[in-house]
Amino acid sequence: NSKVIQTPRYLVKGQGQKAKMRCIPEKGHPVVFWYQQNKNNEFKFLINFQNQEVLQQIDMTEKRFSAECPSNSPCSLEIQSSEAGDSALYLCASRTGRGAETLYFGSGTRLTVL
Amino acid sequence: GQQVQQSPASLVLQEGENAELQCNFSSTATQLQWFYQSPGGSLVSLLSNPSGTKHTGRLTSTTVTKERRSSLHISSSQTTDSGTYLCAIDNNYAQGLTFGLGTRVSVFP
């Protein structure tokens, strides 16, 4: 099935701390997405990339997150100053980018902000 | 309002029973995926089915695009089928998928 690799599996941070998570997309997939899933199962799109370029991001991501997908290195998503409301499951997904095709997800990073 | 609505919200089955999960969506979808999410959170793509009927193992999905609905049929349920089943559509290519809130399935022996 999916070969998207996310690390770490769990992350615990105090309020105000930075929280960084990583994602290795499936080989041959230049398009990468980050989503946040809260405890109510609601998914929120955060940002996506095509190769190293940001395609789209929401306002929250632009203001509070730092994200990149450098060539030959894992993609990363970092919250600059964690808040309690950031506690959620962060999911990375990738696809080839050729039309509307299947999106493959990693196992997620579960962030808890104390 | 919610673009993707799933029903029922939860379902309890005895092992061996069949189940039908519903997904209704309010906008045109160029892609529709059914996912299984384990209690630990891992998301597994089950089927990509923007139209018609597709099968994989004990799962059958039928999507009627013009009626904006899709169903996922689980036959001969097993305890390992327990988890949350999510329906998602791709109606904004740039942002990827829009998800429903899922159907939580519990299968007991």
Side-chain angles (χ1 to χ4, degrees):
Chain A
N1 212 303
S2 175
K3 299 178 181 63
V4 177
I5 300 169
Q6 286 190 249
T7 56
R9 189 75 180 88
Y10 299 94
L11 196 53
V12 180
K13 294 291 178 181
Q15 293 194 48
Q17 288 187 314
K18 292 189 177 188
K20 189 169 187 174
M21 52 206 89
R22 291 176 176 82
C23 170
I24 300 175
E26 195 158 325
K27 194 173 181 180
H29 286 191
V31 181
V32 175
F33 294 80
W34 286 97
Y35 292 89
Q36 178 197 66
Q37 184 186 21
N38 67 20
K39 62 180 180 181
N40 297 321
N41 264 4
E42 294 162 325
F43 280 74
K44 181 186 288 185
F45 164 84
L46 296 176
I47 189 170
N48 64 346
F49 293 83
Q50 176 138 7
N51 297 310
Q52 293 80 54
E53 301 295 320
V54 174
L55 290 178
Q56 199 167 115
Q57 62 182 323
I58 63 172
D59 194 49
M60 177 184 81
T61 308
E62 195 166 6
K63 288 180 178 174
R64 300 186 50 237
F65 290 60
S66 174
E68 60 176 1
C69 266
S71 61
N72 301 317
S73 291
C75 298
S76 64
L77 181 72
E78 183 176 38
I79 306 173
Q80 294 301 298
S81 178
S82 301
E83 300 173 358
D86 295 327
S87 295
L89 181 67
Y90 289 82
L91 290 157
C92 175
S94 71
R95 67 182 180 198
T96 63
R98 293 188 297 269
E101 77 282 19
T102 301
L103 201 56
Y104 294 94
F105 282 80
S107 299
T109 292
R110 190 170 293 281
L111 172 66
T112 302
V113 181
L114 301 173
Chain B
Q2 187 72 23
Q3 291 189 54
V4 181
Q5 294 183 313
Q6 291 188 244
S7 61
S10 62
L11 197 53
V12 178
L13 302 168
Q14 189 158 25
E15 199 167 29
E17 287 184 327
N18 299 331
E20 184 117 334
L21 284 55
Q22 302 293 336
C23 175
N24 292 279
F25 43 98
S26 58
S27 56
T28 308
T30 54
Q31 176 60 282
L32 184 143
Q33 281 184 253
W34 283 96
F35 292 88
Y36 167 78
Q37 188 166 38
S38 67
S42 297
L43 207 60
V44 175
S45 180
L46 298 172
L47 286 160
S48 292
N49 188 25
S51 66
T53 299
K54 285 195 175 177
H55 307 271
T56 182
R58 294 180 292 105
L59 302 175
T60 301
S61 171
T62 299
T63 300
V64 183
T65 313
K66 61 181 179 181
E67 293 181 15
R68 297 182 179 170
R69 59 179 174 86
S70 181
S71 64
L72 182 70
H73 186 263
I74 306 172
S75 62
S76 303
S77 61
Q78 300 175 1
T79 55
T80 50
D81 294 334
S82 296
T84 300
Y85 291 77
L86 293 154
C87 172
I89 63 169
D90 190 335
N91 62 346
N92 179 342
Y93 185 71
Q95 291 196 3
L97 296 172
T98 300
F99 285 81
L101 296 179
T103 294
R104 179 170 289 186
V105 174
S106 302
V107 184
F108 293 94

